[in-house]
Amino acid sequence: METQKWIDQGYNLIVEYTPKIIAAILIWIIGSWLIGVLVRIVKKTMNKAEYEESLKKFLLNLIKWSLKIILFIVVLGTVGIETTTFAAVIAAAGLAIGLALQGSLANFAGGVLILLLKPFRVGDWISAQGVDGSVKEISIFNTRLITFGNQEAVIPNGKLSNDNIINYSSLGIRRENLTFGIGYDDNIKEAKDILLGLVNEQETVLQEEDKVPMIFVGELGDSSVNLSLRYWAKNEDFWAIRWHVLEEGKARLEAAGISIPYPQRDIHHHNLDEFKVSK
């Protein structure tokens, strides 16, 4: 009698759960296939949009595993397992992890924004967070720069994405503004002709209509008339031109008898005894 009871219960369980298990298996197979198709479509879209490789891998994994977790919960519900508690546990665990990793999540969010919006790319020379350097690597949590002195600077993406960034490389060209001070007694026109002629001799200085080199009196200083020399150059030529113009400009001005004054003060000495007598 007892044996028959167990047989009947087993039969009832098989009859009840077999269709559910078959349905769950079919849902898992079809769902996994659809997830694979969706991931491939997203991957092609990212390839066309030229996403950064690190961001692409992370987003694809995030989409894949998020969908698989959802699919797993659906399969459990199909079999008849209560999923409300399971989902609540996952949500609570996610909240606890989020609170424990607030700083890391801020860096993660900043990394996603940087990789999506692309304010700079690997190889660009930028200034951010008080550091100037060439971008070596952009990861999800931080960005690595190589400074002019060949040091590696690691900047958290959370701070980097929420502060000012100067990208010196993105536009491909830069404008320089050099200041040359000459004496008040010197010939301004002659000094301007010398410096402007020097810049125009440089083949790598841009001469486009809206980027023609120019020079003008920028300021009447305390001890000098300051001439402002402006020109445009490509990034790869910028520093070589700057260094040459500074050195050669000083030499040519001096050769023409034009002084380059330095700050100075006139001190008048009064004889205190004479002051007392006159008083």
Side-chain angles (χ1 to χ4, degrees), residues 127-131 155-156 159-164:
S127 177
Q129 294 294 307
V131 180
I155 304 177
K159 293 182 178 180
L160 192 60
S161 64
N162 287 299
D163 207 345
N164 296 329

Side-chain angles (χ1 to χ4, degrees), residues 127-179:
S127 177
Q129 294 294 307
V131 180
D132 293 353
S134 175
V135 180
K136 176 186 178 183
E137 179 186 0
I138 307 171
S139 65
I140 290 296
F141 293 101
N142 54 60
T143 295
R144 297 176 183 271
L145 305 182
I146 301 298
T147 68
F148 185 78
N150 199 38
Q151 295 106 7
E152 184 177 75
V154 181
I155 304 177
N157 284 335
K159 293 182 178 180
L160 192 60
S161 64
N162 287 299
D163 207 345
N164 296 329
I165 300 172
I166 300 176
N167 190 331
Y168 294 99
S169 303
S170 60
L171 299 179
I173 60 175
R174 292 174 62 179
R175 187 178 73 175
E176 180 59 288
N177 182 22
L178 296 177
T179 299

Side-chain angles (χ1 to χ4, degrees), residues 83-228:
T83 58
T84 305
T85 304
F86 185 72
V89 170
I90 293 177
L95 178 61
I97 293 172
L99 291 174
L101 300 175
Q102 289 185 32
S104 297
L105 290 176
N107 291 333
F108 161 75
V112 172
L113 287 174
I114 290 171
L115 291 168
L116 283 175
L117 301 178
K118 300 178 181 178
F120 53 83
R121 299 173 182 267
V122 172
D124 285 354
W125 187 274
I126 68 170
S127 177
Q129 294 294 307
V131 180
D132 293 353
S134 175
V135 180
K136 176 186 178 183
E137 179 186 0
I138 307 171
S139 65
I140 290 296
F141 293 101
N142 54 60
T143 295
R144 297 176 183 271
L145 305 182
I146 301 298
T147 68
F148 185 78
N150 199 38
Q151 295 106 7
E152 184 177 75
V154 181
I155 304 177
N157 284 335
K159 293 182 178 180
L160 192 60
S161 64
N162 287 299
D163 207 345
N164 296 329
I165 300 172
I166 300 176
N167 190 331
Y168 294 99
S169 303
S170 60
L171 299 179
I173 60 175
R174 292 174 62 179
R175 187 178 73 175
E176 180 59 288
N177 182 22
L178 296 177
T179 299
F180 288 85
I182 64 173
Y184 271 90
D185 296 330
D186 292 321
N187 189 316
I188 294 178
K189 184 179 184 308
E190 183 182 2
K192 289 170 64 176
D193 290 342
I194 290 172
L195 294 174
L196 192 60
L198 171 60
V199 168
N200 286 327
E201 289 175 9
Q202 312 308 310
E203 296 181 357
T204 49
V205 169
L206 300 181
Q207 297 286 350
E208 299 172 14
E209 184 176 352
D210 58 339
K211 296 177 177 62
V212 175
M214 64 175 63
I215 186 168
F216 52 87
V217 176
E219 180 187 19
L220 298 177
D222 293 336
S223 56
S224 65
V225 177
N226 295 325
L227 303 180
S228 183

Side-chain angles (χ1 to χ4, degrees), residues 17-48:
Y17 282 99
T18 297
K20 293 181 179 180
I21 292 173
I22 294 174
I25 293 173
L26 290 175
I27 290 173
W28 180 262
I29 294 173
I30 296 173
S32 297
W33 177 78
L34 289 174
I35 290 173
V37 172
L38 179 61
V39 168
R40 286 194 293 272
I41 292 173
V42 173
K43 185 177 181 179
K44 289 182 180 178
T45 303
M46 289 182 176
N47 288 336
K48 290 181 180 178

